[in-house]
Amino acid sequence: MSDSEEESQDRQLKLVVIGDGASGKTSLATRFAQEAFGKQYKQTIGLDFFLKRITLPGNLNVTLQVWDIGGQTLGGKMLDKYVYGAHGVLLVYDITNYQSFENLEDWFGMVKKANEESQVQPLVCLVGNKIDMEHMRTVKSDKHQRFCQENGLISQFVSAKTGDSVRSRPEALGCRTQSVPRERSLYLLISFWSPPPTPTPHQVFLCFQRVAAEILGVKLNKAEMEQSQMIVKAELVNYPQDEGPVRQDTAQQSKICSRVVKADIVNYSQDPVARAANPQRSSMCLVQ
Ligand SMILES: Nc1nc2c(ncn2[C@@H]2O[C@H](COP(=O)(O)OP(=O)(O)OP(=O)(O)O)[C@@H](O)[C@H]2O)c(=O)[nH]1
């Protein structure tokens, strides 16, 4: 095998996703590996595996082996075996479930114990999931940050549900806002902070990418780092009546921007399904 062939071989990383039951671990892994999301909760018994190949800056191909560990394994005999040898750990909690945050101490304690004899400690990322339900948040962002600082963890907020598609313009999301002046101003507001409409990776992908990059010591550029860390929700727009089908796909989209932005309150006048699934909307654009 030539040198260049050897160099182009994939690196393999084992990433373990742990946290309380129903915090969204399987959903994160599925969003990352399959670009999918299921509303139905199906408890993971034991563990599941996902594989995904990504390319990091410098043309470095990395195969991520994602171990999705069932939340019920905490305190069980197998957990330390699952976690042992992981290069990275995603410690997941649900921002709307305080107990899932409190239990992180136990999960993190187990990670440390499982690897205490290992020479290399895994990189641990604290993941606050379900930020599409910001209005139901029970874990304050500063608690999250404190936990990260105290334990030397990297920090991430995501939504497995929306994928938190950042850096997309309204037209790229299928919104047609031109016909209503109020929406037009919102469109302009968002456009002002948005870069050109190129297809960009979603937040969950960026979260995994960031962990892989940190493990391998690969530097992400400033834009990639900002994308992976900044989350702004802009749930908005008073859609005209004839645009129901478009709305369904776009009801959960978020936007990235660098400060607080006042936005319109949503009024999904033609979309009872989306409304039922998402009863409350933020009237502000929130900066994490
Ligand atoms: N709104 C919202 N719901 C989510 C999100 N992520 C997961 N869910 C829902 O939360 C429930 C639990 O998600 P799972 O991914 O199965 O949770 P888990 O942590 O794998 O659960 P265990 O298998 O018991 O460990 C499901 O009904 C998901 O649809 C999210 O980001 N936002």
Side-chain angles (χ1 to χ4, degrees), residues 129-186:
N129 187 35
K130 306 197 186 181
I131 54 139
D132 57 291
M133 303 215 291
E134 181 66 42
H135 54 286
M136 291 173 70
R137 180 190 273 273
T138 54
V139 183
K140 286 196 177 138
S141 180
D142 56 352
K143 287 224 167 211
H144 170 114
Q145 302 299 355
R146 202 173 319 133
F147 192 87
C148 289
Q149 279 158 13
E150 285 170 4
N151 297 293
L153 314 184
I154 61 175
S155 156
Q156 198 77 45
F157 289 102
V158 293
S159 164
K161 181 171 180 176
T162 65
D164 265 312
S165 203
V166 291
R167 288 179 170 246
S168 305
R169 283 185 169 187
E171 70 270 32
L173 303 175
C175 303
R176 282 170 278 148
T177 57
Q178 303 89 310
S179 53
V180 180
R182 246 171 73 197
E183 296 162 5
R184 176 96 185 129
S185 61
L186 177 63

Short mmCIF file of all heavy atoms in Angstrom, two decimals, residues 129-186:
data_model
loop_
_atom_site.label_atom_id
_atom_site.label_comp_id
_atom_site.label_asym_id
_atom_site.label_seq_id
_atom_site.Cartn_x
_atom_site.Cartn_y
_atom_site.Cartn_z
N ASN A 129 -30.34 18.72 25.16
CA ASN A 129 -31.19 18.41 23.99
C ASN A 129 -32.59 19.01 24.16
O ASN A 129 -32.99 19.40 25.24
CB ASN A 129 -31.27 16.89 23.81
CG ASN A 129 -31.99 16.49 22.53
OD1 ASN A 129 -31.89 17.18 21.51
ND2 ASN A 129 -32.74 15.40 22.57
N LYS A 130 -33.32 19.02 23.07
CA LYS A 130 -34.72 19.47 22.98
C LYS A 130 -34.86 20.99 23.07
O LYS A 130 -35.80 21.51 23.65
CB LYS A 130 -35.62 18.78 24.02
CG LYS A 130 -35.53 17.24 23.98
CD LYS A 130 -36.67 16.56 24.69
CE LYS A 130 -36.45 15.04 24.74
NZ LYS A 130 -37.51 14.30 25.39
N ILE A 131 -33.91 21.70 22.51
CA ILE A 131 -34.03 23.17 22.59
C ILE A 131 -35.16 23.71 21.73
O ILE A 131 -35.46 24.90 21.80
CB ILE A 131 -32.70 23.87 22.24
CG1 ILE A 131 -32.18 23.41 20.90
CG2 ILE A 131 -31.66 23.69 23.32
CD1 ILE A 131 -31.63 24.54 20.12
N ASP A 132 -35.77 22.86 20.93
CA ASP A 132 -37.00 23.32 20.25
C ASP A 132 -38.11 23.54 21.27
O ASP A 132 -39.12 24.17 20.96
CB ASP A 132 -37.45 22.27 19.22
CG ASP A 132 -37.66 20.91 19.83
OD1 ASP A 132 -36.68 20.26 20.24
OD2 ASP A 132 -38.81 20.49 19.96
N MET A 133 -37.93 23.03 22.50
CA MET A 133 -38.93 23.23 23.54
C MET A 133 -38.43 24.24 24.59
O MET A 133 -38.65 24.08 25.79
CB MET A 133 -39.27 21.89 24.19
CG MET A 133 -39.75 20.87 23.16
SD MET A 133 -40.99 19.78 23.79
CE MET A 133 -40.05 18.82 24.93
N GLU A 134 -37.80 25.26 24.10
CA GLU A 134 -37.23 26.30 24.95
C GLU A 134 -38.26 26.84 25.96
O GLU A 134 -37.94 27.11 27.11
CB GLU A 134 -36.73 27.44 24.05
CG GLU A 134 -36.09 28.60 24.74
CD GLU A 134 -34.79 28.24 25.45
OE1 GLU A 134 -33.98 27.50 24.88
OE2 GLU A 134 -34.60 28.73 26.58
N HIS A 135 -39.49 26.96 25.51
CA HIS A 135 -40.53 27.51 26.39
C HIS A 135 -40.83 26.59 27.57
O HIS A 135 -41.50 27.00 28.52
CB HIS A 135 -41.81 27.74 25.57
CG HIS A 135 -42.28 26.51 24.84
ND1 HIS A 135 -41.64 26.04 23.73
CD2 HIS A 135 -43.31 25.67 25.10
CE1 HIS A 135 -42.27 24.94 23.31
NE2 HIS A 135 -43.27 24.71 24.12
N MET A 136 -40.34 25.36 27.52
CA MET A 136 -40.56 24.44 28.64
C MET A 136 -39.27 24.13 29.39
O MET A 136 -39.20 23.20 30.17
CB MET A 136 -41.18 23.13 28.11
CG MET A 136 -42.60 23.34 27.62
SD MET A 136 -43.24 21.88 26.82
CE MET A 136 -43.42 20.79 28.22
N ARG A 137 -38.26 24.93 29.12
CA ARG A 137 -36.96 24.70 29.74
C ARG A 137 -37.05 24.74 31.26
O ARG A 137 -37.65 25.67 31.82
CB ARG A 137 -35.98 25.77 29.26
CG ARG A 137 -34.59 25.65 29.81
CD ARG A 137 -33.79 26.89 29.47
NE ARG A 137 -33.15 26.83 28.18
CZ ARG A 137 -31.94 26.30 27.98
NH1 ARG A 137 -31.27 25.77 28.98
NH2 ARG A 137 -31.41 26.31 26.78
N THR A 138 -36.45 23.77 31.93
CA THR A 138 -36.37 23.80 33.39
C THR A 138 -34.92 23.84 33.87
O THR A 138 -34.67 24.05 35.04
CB THR A 138 -37.06 22.56 34.02
OG1 THR A 138 -36.49 21.39 33.45
CG2 THR A 138 -38.57 22.57 33.79
N VAL A 139 -34.00 23.62 32.96
CA VAL A 139 -32.58 23.68 33.33
C VAL A 139 -32.00 24.95 32.73
O VAL A 139 -31.89 25.08 31.50
CB VAL A 139 -31.81 22.45 32.80
CG1 VAL A 139 -30.35 22.50 33.26
CG2 VAL A 139 -32.48 21.16 33.22
N LYS A 140 -31.63 25.86 33.62
CA LYS A 140 -31.11 27.13 33.12
C LYS A 140 -29.77 26.92 32.44
O LYS A 140 -28.97 26.08 32.86
CB LYS A 140 -30.95 28.11 34.28
CG LYS A 140 -32.27 28.66 34.75
CD LYS A 140 -32.04 29.89 35.60
CE LYS A 140 -33.37 30.49 36.02
NZ LYS A 140 -33.36 30.93 37.41
N SER A 141 -29.56 27.75 31.44
CA SER A 141 -28.34 27.64 30.66
C SER A 141 -27.08 27.83 31.53
O SER A 141 -26.06 27.19 31.30
CB SER A 141 -28.44 28.70 29.58
OG SER A 141 -27.36 28.69 28.79
N ASP A 142 -27.17 28.70 32.56
CA ASP A 142 -25.96 28.90 33.37
C ASP A 142 -25.62 27.67 34.22
O ASP A 142 -24.47 27.43 34.54
CB ASP A 142 -26.03 30.19 34.20
CG ASP A 142 -27.23 30.25 35.10
OD1 ASP A 142 -28.10 29.37 34.99
OD2 ASP A 142 -27.31 31.19 35.93
N LYS A 143 -26.64 26.88 34.57
CA LYS A 143 -26.36 25.62 35.29
C LYS A 143 -25.56 24.68 34.38
O LYS A 143 -24.63 24.01 34.80
CB LYS A 143 -27.67 24.93 35.67
CG LYS A 143 -28.40 25.60 36.79
CD LYS A 143 -28.91 24.57 37.79
CE LYS A 143 -29.35 25.28 39.04
NZ LYS A 143 -29.19 24.47 40.23
N HIS A 144 -26.02 24.64 33.14
CA HIS A 144 -25.34 23.82 32.14
C HIS A 144 -23.86 24.26 32.03
O HIS A 144 -22.95 23.44 32.09
CB HIS A 144 -26.09 23.98 30.81
CG HIS A 144 -25.41 23.40 29.61
ND1 HIS A 144 -25.92 22.33 28.91
CD2 HIS A 144 -24.26 23.76 28.97
CE1 HIS A 144 -25.12 22.04 27.90
NE2 HIS A 144 -24.11 22.90 27.90
N GLN A 145 -23.68 25.58 31.88
CA GLN A 145 -22.32 26.10 31.69
C GLN A 145 -21.45 25.82 32.91
O GLN A 145 -20.28 25.47 32.78
CB GLN A 145 -22.34 27.62 31.41
CG GLN A 145 -23.17 28.04 30.20
CD GLN A 145 -22.68 27.43 28.89
OE1 GLN A 145 -21.65 26.76 28.84
NE2 GLN A 145 -23.44 27.62 27.81
N ARG A 146 -22.06 25.96 34.09
CA ARG A 146 -21.28 25.72 35.32
C ARG A 146 -20.81 24.27 35.38
O ARG A 146 -19.68 23.97 35.72
CB ARG A 146 -22.11 26.08 36.56
CG ARG A 146 -21.22 26.35 37.77
CD ARG A 146 -22.01 26.88 38.95
NE ARG A 146 -23.02 27.84 38.60
CZ ARG A 146 -24.27 27.82 39.06
NH1 ARG A 146 -24.67 26.87 39.88
NH2 ARG A 146 -25.13 28.74 38.71
N PHE A 147 -21.72 23.37 35.03
CA PHE A 147 -21.36 21.95 35.05
C PHE A 147 -20.18 21.69 34.09
O PHE A 147 -19.26 20.93 34.40
CB PHE A 147 -22.57 21.09 34.65
CG PHE A 147 -22.41 19.62 34.91
CD1 PHE A 147 -22.73 19.07 36.15
CD2 PHE A 147 -21.90 18.77 33.94
CE1 PHE A 147 -22.56 17.71 36.40
CE2 PHE A 147 -21.73 17.40 34.18
CZ PHE A 147 -22.07 16.88 35.41
N CYS A 148 -20.22 22.35 32.95
CA CYS A 148 -19.13 22.19 31.98
C CYS A 148 -17.81 22.72 32.54
O CYS A 148 -16.77 22.07 32.45
CB CYS A 148 -19.45 22.93 30.68
SG CYS A 148 -20.73 22.16 29.73
N GLN A 149 -17.90 23.92 33.13
CA GLN A 149 -16.67 24.53 33.65
C GLN A 149 -16.07 23.70 34.77
O GLN A 149 -14.88 23.44 34.82
CB GLN A 149 -16.94 25.94 34.15
CG GLN A 149 -16.98 26.96 33.03
CD GLN A 149 -17.75 28.22 33.40
OE1 GLN A 149 -18.07 28.44 34.56
NE2 GLN A 149 -18.07 29.03 32.40
N GLU A 150 -16.94 23.27 35.68
CA GLU A 150 -16.45 22.51 36.84
C GLU A 150 -15.81 21.19 36.44
O GLU A 150 -14.94 20.68 37.13
CB GLU A 150 -17.60 22.26 37.82
CG GLU A 150 -17.97 23.50 38.61
CD GLU A 150 -19.26 23.33 39.41
OE1 GLU A 150 -19.85 22.22 39.41
OE2 GLU A 150 -19.69 24.32 40.02
N ASN A 151 -16.27 20.64 35.35
CA ASN A 151 -15.80 19.30 34.99
C ASN A 151 -14.97 19.27 33.70
O ASN A 151 -14.60 18.19 33.23
CB ASN A 151 -16.99 18.35 34.83
CG ASN A 151 -17.73 18.18 36.15
OD1 ASN A 151 -17.20 17.61 37.09
ND2 ASN A 151 -18.95 18.70 36.22
N GLY A 152 -14.69 20.44 33.17
CA GLY A 152 -13.86 20.50 31.96
C GLY A 152 -14.52 19.86 30.75
O GLY A 152 -13.86 19.15 29.98
N LEU A 153 -15.81 20.09 30.57
CA LEU A 153 -16.52 19.47 29.45
C LEU A 153 -16.74 20.49 28.34
O LEU A 153 -16.80 21.69 28.60
CB LEU A 153 -17.90 18.95 29.89
CG LEU A 153 -17.98 18.16 31.18
CD1 LEU A 153 -19.40 17.65 31.40
CD2 LEU A 153 -17.00 17.00 31.18
N ILE A 154 -16.90 20.01 27.13
CA ILE A 154 -17.34 20.94 26.09
C ILE A 154 -18.87 20.97 26.09
O ILE A 154 -19.52 20.04 26.56
CB ILE A 154 -16.73 20.65 24.70
CG1 ILE A 154 -17.09 19.29 24.18
CG2 ILE A 154 -15.23 20.81 24.72
CD1 ILE A 154 -16.59 19.08 22.75
N SER A 155 -19.37 22.06 25.59
CA SER A 155 -20.79 22.34 25.78
C SER A 155 -21.53 22.45 24.46
O SER A 155 -21.03 23.02 23.49
CB SER A 155 -20.89 23.69 26.52
OG SER A 155 -22.12 24.30 26.28
N GLN A 156 -22.74 21.94 24.46
CA GLN A 156 -23.53 21.98 23.23
C GLN A 156 -25.02 21.98 23.55
O GLN A 156 -25.45 21.26 24.47
CB GLN A 156 -23.19 20.74 22.40
CG GLN A 156 -23.55 20.81 20.97
CD GLN A 156 -22.58 21.64 20.15
OE1 GLN A 156 -21.37 21.52 20.30
NE2 GLN A 156 -23.11 22.51 19.31
N PHE A 157 -25.78 22.78 22.82
CA PHE A 157 -27.25 22.70 22.89
C PHE A 157 -27.75 22.30 21.51
O PHE A 157 -27.30 22.85 20.50
CB PHE A 157 -27.86 24.06 23.26
CG PHE A 157 -27.62 24.45 24.68
CD1 PHE A 157 -26.65 25.38 25.00
CD2 PHE A 157 -28.38 23.90 25.70
CE1 PHE A 157 -26.43 25.76 26.33
CE2 PHE A 157 -28.17 24.27 27.02
CZ PHE A 157 -27.20 25.20 27.33
N VAL A 158 -28.67 21.36 21.48
CA VAL A 158 -29.18 20.90 20.18
C VAL A 158 -30.66 20.56 20.28
O VAL A 158 -31.23 20.47 21.37
CB VAL A 158 -28.44 19.62 19.70
CG1 VAL A 158 -26.99 19.87 19.36
CG2 VAL A 158 -28.58 18.51 20.71
N SER A 159 -31.23 20.33 19.13
CA SER A 159 -32.54 19.71 19.05
C SER A 159 -32.46 18.57 18.05
O SER A 159 -32.22 18.81 16.87
CB SER A 159 -33.60 20.71 18.60
OG SER A 159 -34.76 20.01 18.20
N ALA A 160 -32.66 17.37 18.55
CA ALA A 160 -32.67 16.23 17.63
C ALA A 160 -33.89 16.31 16.72
O ALA A 160 -33.89 15.79 15.62
CB ALA A 160 -32.69 14.92 18.41
N LYS A 161 -34.91 16.98 17.21
CA LYS A 161 -36.15 17.05 16.44
C LYS A 161 -35.98 17.92 15.19
O LYS A 161 -36.30 17.50 14.08
CB LYS A 161 -37.27 17.61 17.32
CG LYS A 161 -38.59 17.70 16.60
CD LYS A 161 -39.69 18.03 17.56
CE LYS A 161 -41.02 18.12 16.82
NZ LYS A 161 -42.11 18.36 17.74
N THR A 162 -35.49 19.12 15.39
CA THR A 162 -35.37 20.03 14.24
C THR A 162 -34.04 19.86 13.54
O THR A 162 -33.89 20.24 12.40
CB THR A 162 -35.47 21.49 14.69
OG1 THR A 162 -34.36 21.79 15.53
CG2 THR A 162 -36.77 21.76 15.41
N GLY A 163 -33.07 19.30 14.27
CA GLY A 163 -31.71 19.27 13.73
C GLY A 163 -31.08 20.65 13.80
O GLY A 163 -29.92 20.84 13.55
N ASP A 164 -31.89 21.60 14.16
CA ASP A 164 -31.47 23.01 14.20
C ASP A 164 -30.69 23.42 12.99
O ASP A 164 -29.50 23.68 13.02
CB ASP A 164 -30.69 23.33 15.46
CG ASP A 164 -31.62 23.89 16.47
OD1 ASP A 164 -32.41 24.79 16.11
OD2 ASP A 164 -31.61 23.41 17.58
N SER A 165 -31.42 23.46 11.93
CA SER A 165 -30.84 23.81 10.66
C SER A 165 -30.40 25.26 10.69
O SER A 165 -31.21 26.16 10.66
CB SER A 165 -31.91 23.62 9.61
OG SER A 165 -31.35 23.45 8.38
N VAL A 166 -29.12 25.47 10.81
CA VAL A 166 -28.65 26.84 10.89
C VAL A 166 -28.27 27.36 9.53
O VAL A 166 -28.05 26.60 8.59
CB VAL A 166 -27.42 26.95 11.83
CG1 VAL A 166 -27.83 26.70 13.25
CG2 VAL A 166 -26.33 26.03 11.39
N ARG A 167 -28.19 28.64 9.42
CA ARG A 167 -27.70 29.31 8.21
C ARG A 167 -28.52 29.01 6.97
O ARG A 167 -28.00 28.94 5.88
CB ARG A 167 -26.25 28.92 7.95
CG ARG A 167 -25.33 29.56 8.95
CD ARG A 167 -23.91 29.18 8.73
NE ARG A 167 -23.09 30.00 9.59
CZ ARG A 167 -22.25 30.90 9.14
NH1 ARG A 167 -22.10 31.10 7.87
NH2 ARG A 167 -21.54 31.63 9.97
N SER A 168 -29.80 28.78 7.13
CA SER A 168 -30.63 28.65 5.95
C SER A 168 -31.50 29.89 5.85
O SER A 168 -32.00 30.40 6.83
CB SER A 168 -31.54 27.44 6.07
OG SER A 168 -30.77 26.31 6.32
N ARG A 169 -31.67 30.36 4.65
CA ARG A 169 -32.55 31.51 4.46
C ARG A 169 -33.99 31.05 4.34
O ARG A 169 -34.24 29.89 4.01
CB ARG A 169 -32.15 32.24 3.20
CG ARG A 169 -30.92 33.08 3.43
CD ARG A 169 -30.64 33.86 2.20
NE ARG A 169 -29.64 34.85 2.49
CZ ARG A 169 -29.28 35.78 1.62
NH1 ARG A 169 -29.85 35.83 0.46
NH2 ARG A 169 -28.36 36.64 1.94
N PRO A 170 -34.94 31.93 4.55
CA PRO A 170 -36.33 31.52 4.47
C PRO A 170 -36.67 30.82 3.17
O PRO A 170 -37.35 29.82 3.18
CB PRO A 170 -37.09 32.84 4.60
CG PRO A 170 -36.16 33.72 5.36
CD PRO A 170 -34.78 33.33 4.95
N GLU A 171 -36.16 31.33 2.04
CA GLU A 171 -36.54 30.68 0.78
C GLU A 171 -35.96 29.28 0.70
O GLU A 171 -36.56 28.38 0.12
CB GLU A 171 -36.15 31.51 -0.44
CG GLU A 171 -34.66 31.60 -0.72
CD GLU A 171 -34.01 32.78 -0.02
OE1 GLU A 171 -34.47 33.15 1.09
OE2 GLU A 171 -33.05 33.33 -0.58
N ALA A 172 -34.80 29.09 1.31
CA ALA A 172 -34.21 27.75 1.29
C ALA A 172 -35.03 26.79 2.13
O ALA A 172 -34.99 25.59 1.96
CB ALA A 172 -32.78 27.81 1.82
N LEU A 173 -35.80 27.34 3.07
CA LEU A 173 -36.62 26.50 3.93
C LEU A 173 -38.01 26.30 3.35
O LEU A 173 -38.86 25.68 3.94
CB LEU A 173 -36.76 27.14 5.32
CG LEU A 173 -35.46 27.42 6.03
CD1 LEU A 173 -35.74 28.18 7.32
CD2 LEU A 173 -34.71 26.15 6.33
N GLY A 174 -38.25 26.90 2.21
CA GLY A 174 -39.54 26.74 1.57
C GLY A 174 -40.53 27.81 1.99
O GLY A 174 -41.70 27.76 1.64
N CYS A 175 -40.11 28.82 2.74
CA CYS A 175 -41.02 29.88 3.13
C CYS A 175 -41.21 30.84 1.97
O CYS A 175 -40.25 31.17 1.28
CB CYS A 175 -40.44 30.70 4.30
SG CYS A 175 -40.06 29.72 5.71
N ARG A 176 -42.43 31.28 1.78
CA ARG A 176 -42.66 32.29 0.76
C ARG A 176 -43.27 33.48 1.47
O ARG A 176 -44.44 33.49 1.80
CB ARG A 176 -43.59 31.75 -0.32
CG ARG A 176 -42.84 30.83 -1.27
CD ARG A 176 -43.78 30.10 -2.17
NE ARG A 176 -44.33 28.95 -1.51
CZ ARG A 176 -45.55 28.48 -1.75
NH1 ARG A 176 -46.34 29.07 -2.59
NH2 ARG A 176 -45.97 27.40 -1.12
N THR A 177 -42.46 34.45 1.76
CA THR A 177 -42.90 35.51 2.65
C THR A 177 -43.18 36.83 1.97
O THR A 177 -43.62 37.77 2.61
CB THR A 177 -41.83 35.76 3.74
OG1 THR A 177 -40.61 36.07 3.07
CG2 THR A 177 -41.63 34.56 4.62
N GLN A 178 -42.95 36.88 0.67
CA GLN A 178 -42.98 38.18 0.00
C GLN A 178 -44.33 38.88 0.10
O GLN A 178 -44.39 40.09 0.12
CB GLN A 178 -42.65 38.06 -1.49
CG GLN A 178 -41.32 37.42 -1.78
CD GLN A 178 -41.46 35.93 -1.88
OE1 GLN A 178 -42.05 35.30 -1.00
NE2 GLN A 178 -40.94 35.34 -2.93
N SER A 179 -45.42 38.11 0.16
CA SER A 179 -46.71 38.73 -0.02
C SER A 179 -47.22 39.51 1.19
O SER A 179 -48.15 40.26 1.08
CB SER A 179 -47.73 37.65 -0.38
OG SER A 179 -47.67 36.65 0.59
N VAL A 180 -46.64 39.34 2.33
CA VAL A 180 -47.14 40.01 3.52
C VAL A 180 -46.06 40.94 4.07
O VAL A 180 -44.96 40.51 4.38
CB VAL A 180 -47.53 38.98 4.61
CG1 VAL A 180 -48.05 39.67 5.84
CG2 VAL A 180 -48.56 38.02 4.04
N PRO A 181 -46.36 42.21 4.20
CA PRO A 181 -45.33 43.16 4.60
C PRO A 181 -44.62 42.82 5.91
O PRO A 181 -43.42 42.90 6.00
CB PRO A 181 -46.11 44.47 4.73
CG PRO A 181 -47.34 44.27 3.91
CD PRO A 181 -47.63 42.82 3.89
N ARG A 182 -45.39 42.39 6.93
CA ARG A 182 -44.76 42.09 8.21
C ARG A 182 -43.74 40.97 8.07
O ARG A 182 -42.67 40.97 8.64
CB ARG A 182 -45.81 41.67 9.22
CG ARG A 182 -45.95 42.67 10.36
CD ARG A 182 -47.13 42.35 11.22
NE ARG A 182 -46.91 41.19 12.04
CZ ARG A 182 -47.87 40.50 12.64
NH1 ARG A 182 -49.12 40.87 12.51
NH2 ARG A 182 -47.60 39.48 13.38
N GLU A 183 -44.10 39.99 7.25
CA GLU A 183 -43.20 38.87 7.04
C GLU A 183 -41.98 39.30 6.25
O GLU A 183 -40.90 38.81 6.44
CB GLU A 183 -43.92 37.75 6.31
CG GLU A 183 -45.05 37.18 7.14
CD GLU A 183 -46.01 36.42 6.29
OE1 GLU A 183 -45.76 36.25 5.09
OE2 GLU A 183 -47.03 36.01 6.82
N ARG A 184 -42.25 40.22 5.37
CA ARG A 184 -41.17 40.73 4.53
C ARG A 184 -40.09 41.36 5.41
O ARG A 184 -38.90 41.13 5.23
CB ARG A 184 -41.74 41.77 3.56
CG ARG A 184 -40.70 42.43 2.71
CD ARG A 184 -40.62 41.74 1.36
NE ARG A 184 -39.54 42.30 0.58
CZ ARG A 184 -38.61 41.58 -0.01
NH1 ARG A 184 -38.63 40.27 0.10
NH2 ARG A 184 -37.67 42.14 -0.71
N SER A 185 -40.54 42.14 6.40
CA SER A 185 -39.55 42.77 7.25
C SER A 185 -38.79 41.73 8.05
O SER A 185 -37.60 41.84 8.28
CB SER A 185 -40.20 43.80 8.17
OG SER A 185 -41.13 43.14 8.99
N LEU A 186 -39.50 40.69 8.44
CA LEU A 186 -38.83 39.61 9.18
C LEU A 186 -37.82 38.91 8.28
O LEU A 186 -36.70 38.62 8.68
CB LEU A 186 -39.88 38.61 9.67
CG LEU A 186 -39.30 37.41 10.39
CD1 LEU A 186 -38.59 37.87 11.65
CD2 LEU A 186 -40.40 36.44 10.74
#
